Amino acid sequence: EDQVTQSPEALRLQEGESSSLNCSYTVSGLRGLFWYRQDPGKGPEFLFTLYSAGEEKEKERLKATLTKKESFLHITAPKPEDSATYLCAVQASGGADGLTFGKGTHLIIQP
Amino acid sequence: AAGVIQSPRHLIKEKRETATLKCYPIPRHDTVYWYQQGPGQDPQFLISFYEKMQSDKGSIPDRFSAQQFSDYHSELNMSSLELGDSALYFCASSHPLAGGADTQYFGPGTRLTVL
């Protein structure tokens, strides 16, 4: 069974204080790993797709990396508007469509 | 850019009633997915459709059914509603990407409350 574990569950940072969120995964065959941002009561907003170990993607203050067992979402010099829940999800190979999500990391950036 | 559209955005039903949720995918996206997110939970995959055919099935209760129509919009039909069905229901859509995973773009969700 596919499993995704995210840590920490919650993280409080000062504005400008960089950090990393972790996503460990177990999947029979990885078709893709996805990072989403979700604000309360809203739909997950797509951030990145990673396909293979060693891949990195970057967007503004966010950078996602992937190894064979985990992914990291690095946040550089965050701003209060980066406060949200960050979700990691995997899609398995072999024809499965559904994403398996982790529980998310609730990130709060204090001014 | 156009996004996934879901309607209604909010729905209140009584126990044992039925509900129908609608999803309009991003133009040219031909795969639609449904997810359920309970309070404080992560989204759980229910079902997906590709080219109007059921593609994959997750933890969808037998009381629920879904279909995709010729214009690619999808409807999730929920019968004999229970209190535990209260949740956010998300629709997502994607377009096939040869050799890789299909990135799923989520709609704003329908908040279903069962009283």
Side-chain angles (χ1 to χ4, degrees):
Chain A
E1 185 180 333
D2 303 335
Q3 284 193 324
V4 177
T5 303
Q6 292 188 245
S7 62
E9 290 184 11
L11 182 61
R12 188 182 297 266
L13 300 172
Q14 292 295 126
E15 184 174 0
E17 181 184 1
S18 301
S19 188
S20 295
L21 313 183
N22 177 263
C23 170
S24 298
Y25 64 91
T26 304
V27 64
S28 52
L30 182 67
R31 190 171 166 202
L33 184 140
F34 305 84
W35 282 98
Y36 289 89
R37 167 197 170 125
Q38 186 173 30
D39 293 302
K42 299 196 174 179
E45 176 188 342
F46 170 71
L47 295 174
F48 302 108
T49 303
L50 300 167
Y51 296 107
S52 57
E55 191 174 1
E56 298 183 353
K57 289 193 176 173
E58 203 165 345
K59 177 183 176 182
E60 297 180 352
R61 296 180 291 282
L62 300 176
K63 179 180 177 180
T65 62
L66 180 65
T67 71
K68 288 187 177 180
K69 292 185 178 181
E70 57 191 352
S71 176
F72 292 93
L73 185 65
H74 308 278
I75 302 179
T76 302
K79 299 181 178 181
E81 53 262 42
D82 294 323
S83 298
T85 295
Y86 289 84
L87 295 169
C88 173
V90 297
Q91 187 178 42
S93 57
D97 283 351
L99 300 180
T100 299
F101 281 87
K103 300 294 183 189
T105 293
H106 182 49
L107 178 65
I108 297 174
I109 308 299
Q110 293 180 312
Chain B
V4 176
I5 297 171
Q6 292 188 244
S7 67
R9 295 293 311 280
H10 302 273
L11 192 57
I12 299 175
K13 291 286 185 179
E14 299 280 340
K15 279 172 50 178
R16 292 180 289 278
E17 285 191 323
T18 61
T20 297
L21 279 54
K22 296 185 178 182
C23 169
Y24 297 86
I26 293 170
R28 292 183 297 282
H29 282 199
D30 52 13
T31 306
V32 169
Y33 314 77
W34 286 97
Y35 290 82
Q36 178 192 59
Q37 187 174 29
Q41 303 296 313
D42 53 289
Q44 296 291 316
F45 171 67
L46 295 178
I47 196 167
S48 62
F49 291 86
Y50 169 67
E51 287 289 346
K52 296 155 289 217
M53 299 287 289
Q54 183 180 308
S55 178
D56 191 15
K57 195 172 180 180
S59 52
I60 185 169
D62 292 339
R63 299 177 289 108
F64 294 6
S65 65
Q67 57 182 325
Q68 186 180 32
F69 295 87
S70 57
D71 63 351
Y72 295 105
H73 94 273
S74 178
E75 295 183 3
L76 178 66
N77 299 291
M78 312 160 71
S79 63
S80 303
L81 287 170
E82 302 174 356
L83 296 177
D85 296 328
S86 295
L88 271 169
Y89 289 84
F90 293 110
C91 173
S93 72
S94 71
H95 187 276
L97 182 67
D102 302 335
T103 296
Q104 298 180 23
Y105 296 89
F106 284 75
T110 294
R111 181 176 294 280
L112 173 66
T113 302
V114 181
L115 303 176

